[in-house]
Amino acid sequence: MNTTSTGTSSLLKLYLGRGVLAVAWAAAFASAHDPIDALAITLLVVYPLIDAVSSLIDLRAIPDGSERRLTLFNGVLSTLAAVGVGLAGTGGVAAVLHVFGAWAVVSGAAQVLVGLRRRGPELGRQWPMLIAGGLSFLVGVFYNVQALGDDASLDVLSVYATGGGVFFIIQAGLLAWRARQRHTQTV
């Protein structure tokens, strides 16, 4: 197996695992976030930690350069977001939406930048990651606006996590399909 195949394989596993964890988290959070109690706060902390750990795993395969710095930045940002949503959980729904929204904006922008750098033929066109990052950015803005209103709800976080998880799973599927195509062409 060459370096490109190894990189694609590890990224495929990472994306698939990240996607499945996001969907599972969404299901758990959907049934446990009202009221915001210790379980809900724990789940709020876990979600950005999944992203932080994924970033650290991804770092192992990335050479020095701007993509590596962005991935490291996202890992640190997600760790800080975990602490932030944990603290915000004691302040209520609006506080959680503000912190989660700010994290979604910045990490979404970073995801778009990483996706743009990975658009080469060996890692696919990354369109699911680009869409997911762009939506994360926009949804984060929406969460901060929603937090200012009277109808703030954490229901939207399960939808966010499900959507992000589905995009990661789609990207993993596309990477698997491309790897299979390359393998078929070389045989």
Side-chain angles (χ1 to χ4, degrees), residues 137-165:
F137 181 90
L138 294 174
V139 167
V141 171
F142 168 75
Y143 289 167
N144 278 288
V145 171
Q146 184 189 23
L148 298 172
D150 295 332
D151 296 330
S153 169
L154 295 181
D155 291 341
V156 294
L157 299 185
S158 291
V159 175
Y160 172 87
T162 300

CSV table of all heavy atoms in Angstrom, one decimal, residues 137-165:
chain,number,residue,atom,x,y,z
A,137,PHE,N,-20.6,27.3,9.8
A,137,PHE,CA,-20.4,28.7,9.9
A,137,PHE,C,-21.7,29.4,10.0
A,137,PHE,O,-22.0,30.2,10.9
A,137,PHE,CB,-19.6,29.2,8.7
A,137,PHE,CG,-19.3,30.7,8.8
A,137,PHE,CD1,-18.1,31.2,9.5
A,137,PHE,CD2,-20.1,31.6,8.2
A,137,PHE,CE1,-17.9,32.5,9.5
A,137,PHE,CE2,-19.9,33.0,8.3
A,137,PHE,CZ,-18.7,33.4,9.0
A,138,LEU,N,-22.6,29.2,9.0
A,138,LEU,CA,-23.9,29.8,9.0
A,138,LEU,C,-24.8,29.5,10.2
A,138,LEU,O,-25.4,30.4,10.7
A,138,LEU,CB,-24.6,29.5,7.7
A,138,LEU,CG,-24.0,30.0,6.4
A,138,LEU,CD1,-24.7,29.5,5.2
A,138,LEU,CD2,-23.9,31.5,6.4
A,139,VAL,N,-24.8,28.2,10.5
A,139,VAL,CA,-25.7,27.8,11.7
A,139,VAL,C,-25.1,28.4,13.0
A,139,VAL,O,-25.9,28.8,13.8
A,139,VAL,CB,-25.7,26.3,11.7
A,139,VAL,CG1,-26.3,25.8,13.0
A,139,VAL,CG2,-26.5,25.7,10.6
A,140,GLY,N,-23.8,28.5,13.1
A,140,GLY,CA,-23.3,29.2,14.3
A,140,GLY,C,-23.8,30.6,14.4
A,140,GLY,O,-24.1,31.1,15.5
A,141,VAL,N,-23.8,31.3,13.3
A,141,VAL,CA,-24.4,32.7,13.4
A,141,VAL,C,-25.8,32.6,13.8
A,141,VAL,O,-26.3,33.4,14.7
A,141,VAL,CB,-24.2,33.4,12.0
A,141,VAL,CG1,-25.0,34.7,11.9
A,141,VAL,CG2,-22.7,33.6,11.6
A,142,PHE,N,-26.6,31.7,13.2
A,142,PHE,CA,-28.0,31.6,13.6
A,142,PHE,C,-28.2,31.3,15.1
A,142,PHE,O,-29.1,31.8,15.7
A,142,PHE,CB,-28.6,30.4,12.7
A,142,PHE,CG,-30.0,30.0,13.2
A,142,PHE,CD1,-31.1,30.8,13.0
A,142,PHE,CD2,-30.2,28.8,13.9
A,142,PHE,CE1,-32.4,30.4,13.5
A,142,PHE,CE2,-31.4,28.4,14.4
A,142,PHE,CZ,-32.5,29.2,14.1
A,143,TYR,N,-27.3,30.4,15.6
A,143,TYR,CA,-27.4,30.1,17.1
A,143,TYR,C,-27.2,31.3,17.9
A,143,TYR,O,-27.9,31.5,18.9
A,143,TYR,CB,-26.4,29.0,17.5
A,143,TYR,CG,-26.6,27.6,16.9
A,143,TYR,CD1,-25.7,26.7,17.0
A,143,TYR,CD2,-27.9,27.3,16.3
A,143,TYR,CE1,-25.9,25.4,16.5
A,143,TYR,CE2,-28.1,26.0,15.8
A,143,TYR,CZ,-27.1,25.1,15.9
A,143,TYR,OH,-27.3,23.8,15.4
A,144,ASN,N,-26.3,32.1,17.6
A,144,ASN,CA,-26.1,33.4,18.4
A,144,ASN,C,-27.3,34.3,18.2
A,144,ASN,O,-27.6,35.0,19.2
A,144,ASN,CB,-24.8,34.0,17.9
A,144,ASN,CG,-23.6,33.4,18.6
A,144,ASN,OD1,-23.4,33.5,19.8
A,144,ASN,ND2,-22.8,32.6,17.9
A,145,VAL,N,-27.9,34.4,17.1
A,145,VAL,CA,-29.1,35.2,16.9
A,145,VAL,C,-30.2,34.6,17.7
A,145,VAL,O,-30.9,35.3,18.4
A,145,VAL,CB,-29.4,35.4,15.4
A,145,VAL,CG1,-30.8,36.0,15.3
A,145,VAL,CG2,-28.4,36.2,14.7
A,146,GLN,N,-30.4,33.3,17.6
A,146,GLN,CA,-31.5,32.6,18.3
A,146,GLN,C,-31.3,32.8,19.9
A,146,GLN,O,-32.3,32.9,20.6
A,146,GLN,CB,-31.5,31.1,18.0
A,146,GLN,CG,-32.6,30.4,18.6
A,146,GLN,CD,-32.6,28.9,18.5
A,146,GLN,OE1,-31.5,28.3,18.3
A,146,GLN,NE2,-33.7,28.2,18.6
A,147,ALA,N,-30.1,32.8,20.3
A,147,ALA,CA,-29.8,32.9,21.8
A,147,ALA,C,-30.3,34.3,22.3
A,147,ALA,O,-30.6,34.4,23.5
A,147,ALA,CB,-28.3,32.7,22.1
A,148,LEU,N,-30.4,35.2,21.4
A,148,LEU,CA,-30.8,36.6,21.9
A,148,LEU,C,-32.4,36.7,21.9
A,148,LEU,O,-32.9,37.6,22.5
A,148,LEU,CB,-30.3,37.6,20.9
A,148,LEU,CG,-28.8,37.8,20.8
A,148,LEU,CD1,-28.4,38.7,19.7
A,148,LEU,CD2,-28.2,38.2,22.1
A,149,GLY,N,-33.1,35.7,21.4
A,149,GLY,CA,-34.5,35.7,21.3
A,149,GLY,C,-35.2,35.0,22.5
A,149,GLY,O,-34.5,34.5,23.4
A,150,ASP,N,-36.5,35.0,22.5
A,150,ASP,CA,-37.3,34.4,23.6
A,150,ASP,C,-37.4,32.9,23.4
A,150,ASP,O,-37.8,32.2,24.3
A,150,ASP,CB,-38.6,35.0,23.7
A,150,ASP,CG,-38.5,36.5,24.1
A,150,ASP,OD1,-37.6,36.9,24.8
A,150,ASP,OD2,-39.4,37.3,23.7
A,151,ASP,N,-37.2,32.4,22.2
A,151,ASP,CA,-37.5,31.0,21.9
A,151,ASP,C,-36.2,30.1,21.7
A,151,ASP,O,-36.2,29.2,21.0
A,151,ASP,CB,-38.3,30.8,20.6
A,151,ASP,CG,-39.7,31.5,20.7
A,151,ASP,OD1,-40.2,31.5,21.8
A,151,ASP,OD2,-40.2,31.9,19.7
A,152,ALA,N,-35.2,30.5,22.4
A,152,ALA,CA,-33.9,29.7,22.4
A,152,ALA,C,-34.2,28.3,22.8
A,152,ALA,O,-34.8,28.0,23.8
A,152,ALA,CB,-32.9,30.4,23.2
A,153,SER,N,-33.6,27.4,22.0
A,153,SER,CA,-33.8,25.9,22.3
A,153,SER,C,-32.5,25.2,21.9
A,153,SER,O,-31.9,25.5,20.9
A,153,SER,CB,-35.0,25.4,21.5
A,153,SER,OG,-35.0,24.0,21.6
A,154,LEU,N,-32.2,24.2,22.7
A,154,LEU,CA,-31.1,23.3,22.4
A,154,LEU,C,-31.4,22.2,21.4
A,154,LEU,O,-30.5,21.4,21.0
A,154,LEU,CB,-30.4,22.7,23.6
A,154,LEU,CG,-29.8,23.8,24.6
A,154,LEU,CD1,-29.2,23.1,25.8
A,154,LEU,CD2,-28.8,24.6,23.9
A,155,ASP,N,-32.7,22.1,21.0
A,155,ASP,CA,-33.1,21.1,20.0
A,155,ASP,C,-32.3,21.2,18.8
A,155,ASP,O,-32.0,20.1,18.1
A,155,ASP,CB,-34.6,21.2,19.6
A,155,ASP,CG,-35.5,20.9,20.8
A,155,ASP,OD1,-35.1,20.2,21.7
A,155,ASP,OD2,-36.7,21.3,20.7
A,156,VAL,N,-31.8,22.4,18.4
A,156,VAL,CA,-31.1,22.6,17.1
A,156,VAL,C,-29.7,21.9,17.2
A,156,VAL,O,-29.2,21.6,16.1
A,156,VAL,CB,-31.0,24.1,16.8
A,156,VAL,CG1,-32.3,24.7,16.5
A,156,VAL,CG2,-30.3,24.8,18.0
A,157,LEU,N,-29.2,21.6,18.3
A,157,LEU,CA,-27.9,21.0,18.4
A,157,LEU,C,-27.9,19.6,17.9
A,157,LEU,O,-26.9,19.1,17.3
A,157,LEU,CB,-27.3,21.1,19.8
A,157,LEU,CG,-27.1,22.6,20.4
A,157,LEU,CD1,-26.4,22.5,21.7
A,157,LEU,CD2,-26.4,23.5,19.4
A,158,SER,N,-28.9,18.9,18.2
A,158,SER,CA,-29.0,17.5,17.7
A,158,SER,C,-29.1,17.5,16.1
A,158,SER,O,-28.5,16.6,15.5
A,158,SER,CB,-30.3,16.8,18.3
A,158,SER,OG,-30.1,16.6,19.6
A,159,VAL,N,-29.8,18.4,15.6
A,159,VAL,CA,-29.9,18.5,14.1
A,159,VAL,C,-28.6,18.9,13.5
A,159,VAL,O,-28.1,18.3,12.5
A,159,VAL,CB,-31.0,19.6,13.7
A,159,VAL,CG1,-31.0,19.8,12.2
A,159,VAL,CG2,-32.4,19.2,14.2
A,160,TYR,N,-27.9,19.8,14.2
A,160,TYR,CA,-26.5,20.2,13.7
A,160,TYR,C,-25.6,19.0,13.7
A,160,TYR,O,-24.9,18.7,12.7
A,160,TYR,CB,-26.0,21.3,14.7
A,160,TYR,CG,-24.6,21.6,14.5
A,160,TYR,CD1,-24.2,22.6,13.6
A,160,TYR,CD2,-23.6,21.1,15.3
A,160,TYR,CE1,-22.9,23.0,13.4
A,160,TYR,CE2,-22.2,21.4,15.1
A,160,TYR,CZ,-21.9,22.4,14.2
A,160,TYR,OH,-20.6,22.8,14.1
A,161,ALA,N,-25.6,18.2,14.8
A,161,ALA,CA,-24.7,17.1,14.9
A,161,ALA,C,-25.0,16.0,13.9
A,161,ALA,O,-24.1,15.4,13.3
A,161,ALA,CB,-24.7,16.5,16.3
A,162,THR,N,-26.3,15.8,13.7
A,162,THR,CA,-26.8,14.8,12.8
A,162,THR,C,-26.3,15.2,11.4
A,162,THR,O,-25.7,14.3,10.6
A,162,THR,CB,-28.3,14.6,12.8
A,162,THR,OG1,-28.7,14.2,14.1
A,162,THR,CG2,-28.7,13.6,11.8
A,163,GLY,N,-26.5,16.4,11.0
A,163,GLY,CA,-26.1,16.9,9.7
A,163,GLY,C,-24.6,16.8,9.5
A,163,GLY,O,-24.2,16.3,8.4
A,164,GLY,N,-23.9,17.2,10.4
A,164,GLY,CA,-22.4,17.1,10.3
A,164,GLY,C,-22.0,15.7,10.2
A,164,GLY,O,-21.1,15.3,9.4
A,165,GLY,N,-22.6,14.8,11.0
A,165,GLY,CA,-22.2,13.4,11.0
A,165,GLY,C,-22.5,12.8,9.6
A,165,GLY,O,-21.7,12.0,9.1
